[in-house]
Amino acid sequence: MNIDVFNPYAQKEATEFHVKIITDCCKSLGCQIHKIKTISRQKNNKEKGIIVIATKDVIKAKICGYKFVFLRNGGISPEESFMRHHSYFRYHVLSAIEMLGLHLSDFSVFVSEPMLSHYRKKYRIKGDNCYVMPCFNNEIKEHFSYPDKYKNNVFIYAGSLSVWQCFEKTVEVYKQIEERVDYAFFRVLVKDAKGAKKILEKYHVKNYSIDYVPVSAIEEEMKRAKFGFCLREDDKVNRVATPTKLSNYVASGVIPIYSKYLEDFEKIAKNSSYCIPIDNEEINIEEIIKFCRKEIDEGEIYKDFKGCFGTYYSKVYHLENLEKILVSMLQKYNKVLDNKQTNM
């Protein structure tokens, strides 16, 4: 089968990584992949599949006659829109589009189990043509032995000053740590240096640096950090989310300080001895302080993260699982499959 890939939106590394896993899986099953700029009606669409990343594009692809539509869905857009615009009209229109797109999709990839549960409850989708794969763009690497990584209490924040990323709450938490931990240091990686500095000065933070580095340099920054912040508010959008920065932290041996409302990550992280969940309303600073003063063995934390997150953030693991699911589904659309498919 020939499969088109339609992704005209602002590029996000985790989305690209997911799409690459799906296309690699399809290639291993003998499919030919082609990137397209528009979805249009073509004579051979009824013989092709297509990969899209928006529910509205599922509907368009079906109207244009595509035989098999893959959806990679990264967020609950009606709820996200309502948080930004507070418009019930927009919310209901987007919900109608989302519901139709999900029901028309032949196979959907969601970023968390809570997202799948949300759709089952809201739209009564069955979920037997779905797969869950968290947002991630790298895998666990042996960066745990960087010189003095676990001796220096370096905290890192990589993101933006968008309200939903809770930078001000993060600064508030760090300030409490700085007051009690000698030589704590806060490494802030954001584009808006002026805005970040204003917030840091508001809370009288003393030991910090502000910089912005390209995605390609983030890994080098993570090597030097001991702790990484990922705070979020308690709402539906965050409860179904799997922030990519958490995979960046874990992959490089950075101890995550994260909001417990990130339900999918919390489910895995609760089995780890080196992850710090917090309640945004009742922050347990003592737990963070304990880790600041704790002697950490790099081999133990590597073993811990590898054991807890080895499959969760594994490209090979998800490729193998997707292949097992897709081969049986694609058999419904193809009369002749190669030997690899028929033998599975």
Side-chain angles (χ1 to χ4, degrees):
M1 178 188 287
N2 288 317
I3 295 179
D4 292 336
V5 178
F6 180 67
N7 180 12
Y9 309 104
Q11 298 301 302
K12 292 185 178 180
E13 199 171 352
T15 302
E16 285 293 302
F17 199 77
H18 268 193
V19 171
K20 181 70 163 53
I21 290 175
I22 297 168
T23 56
D24 284 352
C25 180
C26 292
K27 286 178 182 178
S28 73
L29 297 175
C31 300
Q32 301 295 317
I33 307 298
H34 308 278
K35 291 184 178 181
I36 59 172
K37 294 183 178 180
T38 59
I39 299 176
S40 60
R41 186 177 293 276
Q42 304 291 331
K43 288 183 179 180
N44 62 340
N45 280 0
K46 62 182 180 179
E47 303 298 330
K48 295 195 298 183
I50 186 172
I51 298 169
V52 299
I53 63 168
T55 49
K56 66 179 181 179
D57 294 327
V58 174
I59 300 169
K60 188 172 183 179
K62 283 296 185 180
I63 291 173
C64 289
Y66 275 92
K67 183 179 183 182
F68 192 98
V69 181
F70 299 82
L71 169 67
R72 186 277 182 185
N73 199 57
I76 50 177
S77 58
E79 286 74 13
E80 291 175 1
S81 174
F82 189 79
M83 287 176 67
R84 290 193 297 268
H85 305 288
H86 304 288
S87 167
Y88 284 102
F89 177 75
R90 287 174 66 97
Y91 171 80
H92 289 301
V93 169
L94 290 172
S95 291
I97 293 170
E98 188 175 64
M99 178 178 68
L100 183 57
L102 289 170
H103 281 285
L104 288 176
S105 171
D106 295 290
F107 188 79
S108 300
V109 174
F110 301 132
V111 300
S112 71
E113 288 288 351
M115 177 180 281
L116 176 54
S117 297
H118 168 80
Y119 286 141
R120 280 176 169 156
K121 182 178 180 180
K122 185 176 181 181
Y123 302 127
R124 299 184 184 278
I125 67 168
K126 294 180 179 179
D128 54 356
N129 65 334
C130 302
Y131 183 73
V132 172
M133 179 166 52
C135 292
F136 70 110
N137 57 11
N138 52 20
E139 301 177 81
I140 295 177
K141 303 176 179 66
E142 295 189 26
H143 292 164
F144 296 59
S145 58
Y146 193 85
D148 296 328
K149 180 179 180 70
Y150 298 112
K151 291 182 180 179
N152 299 325
N153 289 308
V154 177
F155 295 76
I156 195 167
Y157 173 89
S160 75
L161 302 190
S162 299
V163 175
W164 63 272
Q165 291 208 27
C166 298
F167 178 69
E168 185 161 352
K169 171 64 74 172
T170 299
V171 174
E172 182 184 344
V173 173
Y174 172 76
K175 177 57 180 176
Q176 294 179 60
I177 297 166
E178 185 181 79
E179 289 176 343
R180 296 183 54 188
V181 177
D182 293 336
Y183 307 113
F185 191 84
F186 192 19
R187 183 84 170 111
V188 178
L189 303 178
V190 297
K191 270 187 177 180
D192 186 0
K194 185 177 180 180
K197 186 175 182 179
K198 184 176 180 180
I199 295 172
L200 288 159
E201 289 179 344
K202 174 183 175 181
Y203 287 90
H204 307 290
V205 174
K206 297 177 182 178
N207 305 321
Y208 69 89
S209 66
I210 305 174
D211 201 356
Y212 180 73
V213 299
V215 173
S216 58
I218 288 290
E219 191 174 299
E220 192 64 28
E221 294 289 341
M222 295 296 175
K223 287 181 182 179
R224 300 178 173 87
K226 181 178 179 180
F227 300 97
F229 286 108
C230 186
L231 306 188
R232 295 291 187 271
E233 296 295 345
D234 183 11
D235 55 52
K236 284 185 179 180
V237 171
N238 287 321
R239 285 190 175 276
V240 305
T242 54
T244 307
K245 70 172 66 180
L246 287 170
S247 76
N248 298 151
Y249 293 158
V250 169
S252 295
V254 176
I255 298 170
I257 301 172
Y258 68 97
S259 297
K260 66 179 185 179
Y261 320 121
L262 297 165
E263 292 183 355
D264 207 64
F265 185 81
E266 165 70 357
K267 180 180 67 177
I268 306 297
K270 68 183 180 181
N271 297 315
S272 169
S273 299
Y274 295 95
C275 293
I276 308 176
I278 66 171
D279 183 324
N280 287 21
E281 302 304 319
E282 298 179 8
I283 298 170
N284 185 1
I285 294 295
E286 293 300 326
E287 185 67 15
I288 304 173
I289 301 300
K290 183 178 74 174
F291 271 92
C292 289
R293 295 170 179 165
K294 180 179 180 179
E295 187 172 330
I296 295 175
D297 181 274
E298 62 192 49
E300 284 299 315
I301 191 170
Y302 177 79
K303 182 179 178 181
D304 181 284
F305 280 4
K306 191 72 174 175
C308 293
F309 300 99
T311 54
Y312 189 68
Y313 291 135
S314 169
K315 180 179 179 180
V316 172
Y317 173 81
H318 292 296
L319 269 171
E320 291 176 350
N321 281 354
L322 271 173
E323 188 171 291
K324 290 175 184 176
I325 297 169
L326 287 178
V327 68
S328 61
M329 296 195 72
L330 289 175
Q331 283 176 334
K332 299 177 184 178
Y333 297 88
N334 293 277
K335 295 181 180 179
V336 180
L337 297 172
D338 61 21
N339 291 333
K340 181 177 182 179
Q341 291 170 295
T342 54
N343 290 334
M344 289 183 68

